[in-house]
Amino acid sequence: MRIRQLWGARAQARKDRGPSGLSLLPWLLMGLGALSHLLGGQAPNPWIGAAGLLAFNTLYIAIVFRAFDPRRRESRLTWVLLISLGVLTFALAIGYGREWLLLFPLLGLGVGAVVRRGRLLPAIAFPLVLAVGVVTFWRDGWDSIGIVYGTFISIMVTAAILALDEIVRQLRETREELARAAVEKERLRFSRDLHDLLGHTLSVIVVKSEVVRRLAPRDLDAALAQVADIESVGRQALTEIREAVTGYREGSLATELDRARDALSTAGIEPVVRRSGPLLEPQTEALLSWVVRESATNAVRHSGASRCEIDLSGSADRVRLTVTDNGRGPADGTPGSGLRGLRERVAAAGGTLDSGPAPRGGFRVTAELPVEASVPEGDPAR
């Protein structure tokens, strides 16, 4: 069973690679007529003919193998070899005629393999076929009309098949690249969701646990109420993580504002929430919910603030969300990965997100979005 699987994998790999120079080697059997003509003693100057036939086969093999390497196919050496093959083929056909005329279709295969498409193909193919027709009629009359037709067909069919195979392989590579990009995009979406969801939730749980530890010795009922809140937050986090995994999470801005107010209050930070402006589309609300969540989480975890203001306002076209605390902000003064990820999401929806020290001290996050934000396909805020 294992051997059969390996054999199947190798066969699939060969199929994916497509044709190669080996695919055109069996056509060298068309030169057996010339070889028979030599061995039968019917050709004058047999040593010259043998050397010419050997040189023809060598050039043909070199050309067809170079034709399947894009870089080598377009090199100057390949064209020198192809021109040399053409000159040698005409010399042998003019000198010996008869069976040697069958070398013309082989020349056509080499030309079709190298010159696959574009304006250069007809510019080379038609003059070449015309020259083949002149030599063939001169050496063998109308009886060899099939040689001319075979040369034309070998050029055009080889070029068409190989060009089509090249396009198919390029499309397959593009499809694989798009699949990899889609996987990377989904991985990035999932990592952002986990950062935003777990960062906020765990911060709230830690803060409430500290409150429980302080309240338990003197006010058991208040401590139990905080434990119930911890349970509620944990259950909500499980639901949101499941929704994030499936990619169907929808944020409610009003709910997120309530959660931020509760998390800030629990951490001993006075929340001030002001909201005005028009009704927002669900996509816009979802994006702003992420901004509120991340900003409130940062205020709880890093700021050391005593007050946090969340101000949402807007006009008929744009909506503006500002979250300002009077704390110290990030330790190194630069936003974390959560804010960087949010900046990318907001920018993709046609908005802007800025963060940094507030004019009167503290830290400020400002997001501006169109009232009807366009959220890219696959974004969790959809």
Side-chain angles (χ1 to χ4, degrees):
M1 189 66 177
R2 178 65 176 173
I3 296 177
R4 185 177 301 175
Q5 291 176 350
L6 290 174
W7 182 266
R10 291 179 179 177
Q12 183 63 37
R14 289 194 296 269
K15 181 179 178 181
D16 292 340
R17 284 198 298 267
S20 64
L22 295 173
S23 307
L24 298 181
L25 289 187
W27 292 101
L28 282 174
L29 294 175
M30 295 178 65
L32 289 178
L35 180 62
S36 176
H37 191 234
L38 278 176
L39 296 178
Q42 303 173 18
N45 300 315
W47 291 108
I48 296 178
L53 189 59
L54 178 62
F56 177 91
N57 290 335
T58 303
L59 288 172
Y60 177 85
I61 293 172
I63 288 170
V64 296
F65 275 101
R66 294 179 68 89
F68 288 90
D69 185 335
R71 291 177 299 178
R72 299 171 67 190
R73 181 173 68 240
E74 299 174 359
S75 68
R76 180 178 299 179
L77 178 58
T78 301
W79 283 98
V80 170
L81 294 176
L82 186 61
I83 294 172
S84 301
L85 181 67
V87 172
L88 180 61
T89 305
F90 275 94
L92 293 174
I94 292 173
Y96 293 98
R98 299 180 59 183
E99 290 85 355
W100 297 77
L101 298 176
L102 289 173
L103 298 180
F104 279 132
L106 287 173
L107 174 62
L109 290 175
V111 171
V114 174
V115 190
R116 300 188 179 184
R117 51 185 170 176
R119 297 180 179 179
L120 194 59
L121 179 60
I124 294 177
F126 290 113
L128 177 61
V129 172
L130 180 61
V132 170
V134 172
V135 173
T136 301
F137 293 149
W138 174 54
R139 291 294 303 180
D140 209 23
W142 287 95
D143 293 338
S144 298
I145 186 65
I147 300 294
V148 181
Y149 178 73
T151 303
F152 176 76
I153 290 298
S154 64
I155 295 174
M156 304 309 291
V157 171
T158 302
I161 291 177
L162 295 183
L164 180 61
D165 176 75
E166 189 174 7
I167 292 173
V168 169
R169 283 189 286 110
Q170 290 175 354
L171 290 176
R172 183 184 297 119
E173 292 172 0
T174 302
R175 183 182 62 185
E176 293 174 354
E177 183 63 30
L178 290 174
R180 284 193 294 269
V183 171
E184 290 298 325
K185 183 178 180 181
E186 182 64 13
R187 183 179 292 119
L188 180 60
R189 179 197 71 82
F190 187 59
S191 65
R192 286 173 174 172
D193 274 13
L194 285 183
H195 174 274
D196 295 339
L197 290 172
L198 294 181
H200 173 77
T201 302
L202 293 178
S203 296
V204 173
I205 290 176
V206 168
V207 170
K208 287 183 174 290
S209 299
E210 293 175 350
V211 173
V212 170
R213 179 170 53 81
R214 291 196 301 266
L215 289 177
R218 62 177 186 271
D219 191 343
L220 184 59
D221 292 337
L224 291 176
Q226 293 295 328
V227 170
D229 287 345
I230 293 174
E231 181 182 0
S232 176
V233 169
R235 292 183 183 277
Q236 182 64 32
L238 288 175
T239 301
E240 290 180 341
I241 289 175
R242 293 191 189 102
E243 291 173 346
V245 170
T246 58
Y248 291 107
R249 182 174 187 270
E250 295 184 357
S252 168
L253 184 55
T255 302
E256 202 61 56
L257 288 171
D258 290 339
R259 291 176 183 170
R261 185 185 290 110
D262 180 63
L264 292 169
S265 299
T266 303
I269 302 173
E270 178 187 359
V272 178
V273 179
R274 292 184 291 268
R275 180 174 184 178
S276 61
L279 294 176
L280 304 177
E281 292 293 326
Q283 294 89 347
T284 306
E285 282 208 3
L287 276 173
L288 294 177
S289 297
W290 285 107
V291 177
V292 170
R293 172 185 287 261
E294 180 66 21
S295 301
T297 300
N298 288 339
V300 169
R301 296 172 60 186
H302 308 304
S303 70
S306 60
R307 180 183 174 90
C308 181
E309 298 182 4
I310 303 175
D311 189 358
L312 178 65
S313 61
S315 61
D317 300 324
R318 306 281 293 184
V319 60
R320 179 186 180 93
L321 172 67
T322 304
V323 182
T324 308
D325 63 61
N326 60 355
R328 58 181 176 271
D332 57 358
T334 59
S337 60
L339 287 177
R340 288 195 296 268
L342 279 175
R343 183 177 292 111
E344 294 174 1
R345 294 186 192 181
V346 172
T352 60
L353 187 143
D354 297 316
S355 59
R360 298 180 180 179
F363 193 75
R364 172 178 292 177
V365 177
T366 303
E368 288 192 12
L369 278 167
V371 172
E372 297 182 3
S374 176
V375 181
E377 189 72 27
D379 193 285
R382 287 188 69 87

